[in-house]
Amino acid sequence: MSRWGKQQDRLVVRGVDVLSGVLSGAAPEPARSVVASRALLAVEELVFPLHEELVLAENADAAARGASDEEWADDAAVRRWVTETLAEHASSYNELHEVWEDDPDYVEPQGEHPVWALLELSPLARRLRLLQEAAAKTAVGLGGDVGVGAHQIGHWSAGRSRPGGREREALAAALGVHPAWLHAARDEQPDVQLYRFASCPCEKPTAMARLGLGREEPDWYDSPAEQDAAVHWCGCGQAWVKDVAGWLLPLPPGEEPTPSVGDLVDLGRPLTRSPSVTLDEPWPRALWQPPAGRKSRDRIAYRVPELLTREPQTLPVRPAVARVVVPEPVWGAGSAERLAANASWCRTCRALADAPTGTAGGPWVLLHRSEPERDLSTWTYPTEKDALHHGAHLAMTYLQLEDGPLDRVALDLFTGQAHAQVIDRFLELHPETTQFEVAELVPMRADEF
């Protein structure tokens, strides 16, 4: 506990807010389990400093995998789940490292350790703390804006009392948010609107690059192809995972591969690198972009997101994703006819059909072979992206012919532009394929064709 201070308080409050905002009212499923594991790990790293990183990660993973619907039913349930998880881990931590009550590294399963009081904070108390931090206001400064003493701000932030109606309006004005965010009716409601999005809330959302979770991550998804295309990267630098309802959930920092230049072809602009790679800063970064010119130790206010300047709206129930109807493959036709047919359902093909003709970096060759005859066919495309896209079309065609209705995972990956993973998915389903295999992608100079 000797290492504990305001910085640790802040990170725990944010970690719990992320957990509650993402998990409250949701059934455990892969995307949420990934977020739960990572946010819980960020808290456990502070509480159990003597544990090896691998032990901490395994504990967090096991807790996320074992969670039930009831344990994520609402904010109170999520906080109770975190509390019980940490208490259980505290006992094993003390025993493993042979630390006792008079040892500074001892963690009481319940008691005086600061984490237990932080886990009791209501959504209102967390909201006040996080907004005050983002506004870079001290208790004295915020109290002066509201017309109360600094001690009163401390009481509200600790959950010992709650502001009255006039004080709530003054708080909202001082923090730059719509008064409804601080209305008494929201005191026990987590801010799910800040952690679940239909699209990235950054200033310039783009198409997203899809990459996998890191090698050290557990296999959260049923299919290796899904695992390898689970992370949705926006050009703003925010990583997301998508739940079964279609909501994007902000992915806390981890070991997943960062997109390279080649992976960013769909983003339409370079990936923005943010100096914050932890939950120590306002989160998610897509919503709370760091101030320009900010230095690591400076207290500079973040710009209030537009979302918080409007009255909070209840998130709608996400409608079922419209079923993509893929027409029968077009055989014996030229490339223009095939492209026109694919453009009826494939957004990339629509873009290609409408694009002006011309080279875009020199041709690539997609080598395709049939087995067991191993007859070789080749196609040329202007970019590697286009070659992979056509390879995925080939895989989808054979899945449709062999398996009837298209495989749900392959279709989701395809519409998400994860073309290499579509090919991997085909080979998962048909490891001994006699019909289709992508042998190689080869770049060639224009004068060689």
Side-chain angles (χ1 to χ4, degrees):
M1 198 190 308
S2 58
R3 304 178 182 85
W4 204 273
K6 290 184 177 179
Q7 181 180 5
Q8 287 72 23
D9 278 358
R10 183 168 60 246
L11 199 148
V12 169
V13 171
R14 178 160 296 107
V16 173
D17 207 57
V18 171
L19 285 164
S20 183
V22 169
L23 305 181
S24 292
E29 44 98 9
R32 280 189 166 78
S33 296
V34 174
V35 176
S37 173
R38 288 193 175 188
L40 183 61
L41 175 61
V43 174
E44 295 218 353
E45 286 175 337
L46 298 174
V47 179
F48 307 119
L50 298 182
H51 262 341
E52 295 181 0
E53 184 178 351
L54 180 60
V55 174
L56 292 169
E58 289 177 346
N59 287 345
D61 293 341
R65 287 186 186 277
S68 65
D69 294 21
E70 292 77 14
E71 288 174 312
W72 292 354
D74 53 30
D75 178 82
V78 171
R79 287 188 285 122
R80 188 163 52 248
W81 171 70
V82 176
T83 299
E84 292 173 355
T85 297
L86 292 183
E88 179 183 344
H89 293 171
S91 298
S92 59
Y93 171 83
N94 294 330
E95 182 177 352
L96 176 64
H97 296 287
E98 297 182 342
V99 291
W100 314 109
E101 293 186 16
D102 57 347
D103 194 302
D105 291 311
Y106 179 77
V107 179
E108 306 92 334
Q110 288 287 348
E112 296 182 1
H113 194 286
V115 72
W116 308 121
L118 295 172
L119 288 170
E120 292 179 0
L121 293 178
S122 68
L124 172 64
R126 296 198 308 267
R127 194 173 297 132
L128 288 177
R129 287 184 179 222
L130 296 176
L131 289 175
Q132 179 184 344
E133 179 214 339
K137 288 181 178 288
T138 64
V140 172
L142 183 59
D145 293 339
V146 176
V148 299
H151 67 284
Q152 186 62 68
I153 300 295
H155 287 317
W156 294 337
S157 298
R160 290 188 289 269
S161 63
R162 295 186 177 182
R166 184 202 64 79
E167 294 160 331
R168 289 175 188 268
E169 291 187 4
L171 277 170
L175 297 171
V177 303
H178 192 283
W181 286 94
L182 297 178
H183 193 278
R186 291 184 51 81
D187 284 0
E188 301 299 331
Q189 296 179 15
D191 289 328
V192 296
Q193 296 89 343
L194 305 184
Y195 300 106
R196 305 177 195 181
F197 297 92
S199 61
C200 186
C202 67
E203 292 182 348
K204 298 179 181 178
T206 63
M208 293 192 179
R210 291 184 65 171
L211 289 177
L213 293 163
R215 290 184 179 180
E216 301 303 319
E217 291 274 3
D219 293 331
W220 294 106
Y221 292 81
D222 293 335
S223 159
E226 287 178 287
Q227 180 85 3
D228 289 341
V231 182
H232 300 243
W233 279 95
C234 179
C236 71
Q238 178 67 56
W240 305 90
V241 286
K242 184 178 290 187
D243 70 7
V244 294
W247 292 112
L248 291 174
L249 312 175
L251 183 64
E255 299 299 324
E256 72 280 353
T258 301
S260 64
V261 174
D263 295 318
L264 301 181
V265 66
D266 286 334
L267 296 184
R269 61 192 175 96
L271 181 74
T272 300
R273 303 290 181 183
S274 168
S276 170
V277 292
T278 73
L279 289 179
D280 194 46
E281 303 291 341
W283 192 262
R285 69 180 65 174
L287 201 63
W288 297 93
Q289 290 291 340
R294 177 180 179 275
K295 297 182 179 180
S296 58
R297 295 183 180 275
D298 289 346
R299 288 180 60 87
I300 301 178
Y302 281 67
R303 185 178 64 189
V304 177
E306 184 181 354
L307 177 62
L308 282 167
T309 65
R310 305 190 304 265
E311 185 175 358
Q313 301 295 316
T314 302
L315 289 181
V317 175
R318 294 285 290 173
V321 177
R323 180 172 176 267
V324 176
V325 178
V326 181
E328 286 294 321
V330 177
W331 299 103
S335 59
E337 289 80 3
R338 290 199 307 272
L339 182 61
N342 288 333
S344 68
W345 68 277
C346 173
R347 73 175 190 235
T348 298
C349 287
R350 279 197 297 273
L352 289 173
D354 296 335
T357 58
T359 60
W364 282 71
V365 173
L366 175 72
L367 301 179
H368 163 261
R369 67 187 182 209
S370 298
E371 297 183 354
E373 296 85 359
R374 302 183 67 80
D375 293 333
L376 191 65
S377 300
T378 63
W379 291 268
T380 60
Y381 295 90
T383 68
E384 179 183 13
K385 171 191 171 184
D386 297 322
L388 271 175
H389 176 74
H390 181 65
H393 264 299
L394 288 171
M396 297 282 281
T397 296
Y398 284 117
L399 283 173
Q400 189 174 2
L401 293 174
E402 291 293 307
D403 301 330
L406 273 169
D407 174 67
R408 179 193 63 79
V409 172
L411 187 56
D412 175 66
L413 293 172
F414 189 96
T415 55
Q417 307 292 286
H419 296 136
Q421 289 84 352
V422 173
I423 297 169
D424 291 341
R425 177 62 174 173
F426 176 87
L427 296 175
E428 284 176 16
L429 297 175
H430 298 282
E432 304 299 327
T433 180
T434 60
Q435 296 213 12
F436 171 77
E437 181 178 351
V438 172
E440 196 172 0
L441 288 170
V442 184
M444 303 294 277
R445 296 196 311 273
D447 60 5
E448 293 183 293
F449 294 94

